[in-house]
Amino acid sequence: MKNIILLGPPGAGKGTQADLICNLCSIPKISTGDMLREAVASGSDFGKKVSHILDTGGLVSDEIIGSLIQDRLTKPDCVNGSLFDGVPRTLGQATELASMGIEFTHVIEINVDDQMIVNRMSGRRVHPGSGKNYHIDFNPPLNEGIDDETGDSLIQREDDKPETVLKRLTVYHDQTKPLSEFYINESSNSDLKYFTVDGSQSVEKVFQDISSQI
């Protein structure tokens, strides 16, 4: 069984690596974002409660996150383990997961310099109709600012603008980066394996570095 946590700043490539790791290990991805959206879409009393919190700009409590995860882990596809993507985000959530008795086998941290993150994310352009992604440096459209397929104009998402990315990085360093020390300490007292990889490398090389250790 492999229960894996993937850490790293926004724009580090966690989503891409999460999918590759899940395929490699035949485990599902546990995404709190997905679970919250599903809860809201269900229209249940719990979903309405979550919807109200999100609509009013509130933060979903660590207890609610914990309940969502506990329920998700009872599903049959988690029998061989799971990969946690986007959770824990805070020390409170890490403590909540620890209290649930989940035995994590690996914590993988993808490290990328802040300036590279800003360059990566601020260079993204999106076709609003299809969601297709481009990058002005790494994957540019055939014609600047124009979708290859439709000829529609591409947009830059608000959360990809440099000032927004910097704010997100500040939140990451304040709230999520302390998890590194938390899990380093955990690994010294248990069978948990904690390691870091250089996220500035190609997708293929990052995955190679990860797969060699899991």
Side-chain angles (χ1 to χ4, degrees):
M1 175 178 283
K2 287 184 170 62
N3 284 315
I4 300 170
I5 291 174
L6 200 53
L7 299 177
K14 296 189 299 298
T16 299
Q17 295 300 327
D19 291 340
L20 293 170
I21 295 166
C22 287
N23 288 334
L24 175 69
C25 300
S26 298
I27 55 177
K29 180 167 66 175
I30 306 295
S31 166
T32 53
D34 290 346
M35 288 188 287
L36 288 170
R37 284 188 288 273
E38 288 170 6
V40 170
S42 73
S44 65
D45 288 343
F46 176 70
K48 290 174 183 175
K49 179 181 178 181
V50 170
S51 179
H52 177 72
I53 293 170
L54 297 176
D55 289 345
T56 55
L59 293 175
V60 178
S61 70
D62 295 337
E63 289 76 18
I64 288 178
I65 295 295
S67 296
L68 283 169
I69 291 171
Q70 205 154 28
D71 179 66
R72 179 66 181 86
L73 291 177
T74 63
K75 302 296 189 287
D77 62 342
C78 293
V79 67
N80 294 320
S82 52
L83 183 141
F84 286 67
D85 178 32
V87 64
R89 288 185 185 274
T90 65
L91 288 172
Q93 290 178 9
T95 303
E96 185 74 20
L97 293 181
S99 72
M100 290 163 56
I102 304 170
E103 295 186 6
F104 290 107
T105 55
H106 300 80
V107 174
I108 307 162
E109 182 172 1
I110 303 177
N111 288 326
V112 183
D113 175 79
D114 281 5
Q115 189 54 55
M116 179 173 281
I117 294 289
V118 173
N119 293 342
R120 277 184 180 181
M121 297 183 72
S122 63
R124 291 199 296 210
R125 298 293 183 271
V126 181
H127 177 239
S130 66
K132 183 177 180 181
N133 282 288
Y134 296 87
H135 194 283
I136 58 175
D137 294 321
F138 310 127
N139 180 35
L142 296 174
N143 296 296
E144 185 177 345
I146 302 296
D147 178 54
D148 292 347
E149 301 295 327
T150 65
D152 295 339
S153 295
L154 302 175
I155 64 168
Q156 183 182 40
R157 288 179 175 149
E158 284 296 322
D159 59 359
D160 283 341
K161 292 183 176 178
E163 59 272 22
T164 307
V165 175
L166 287 170
K167 288 178 183 176
R168 293 175 65 191
L169 285 169
T170 298
V171 171
Y172 167 76
H173 287 298
D174 287 347
Q175 297 186 6
T176 307
K177 184 60 179 172
L179 291 172
S180 301
E181 185 175 351
F182 179 89
Y183 284 114
I184 288 171
N185 291 336
E186 284 282 307
S187 67
S188 66
N189 299 308
S190 68
D191 293 330
L192 173 69
K193 183 175 183 179
Y194 171 95
F195 63 93
T196 63
V197 295
D198 179 3
S200 67
Q201 307 173 105
S202 68
V203 169
E204 293 78 15
K205 184 63 169 71
V206 172
F207 180 59
Q208 183 181 339
D209 289 352
I210 291 173
S211 58
S212 69
Q213 299 207 57
I214 60 173

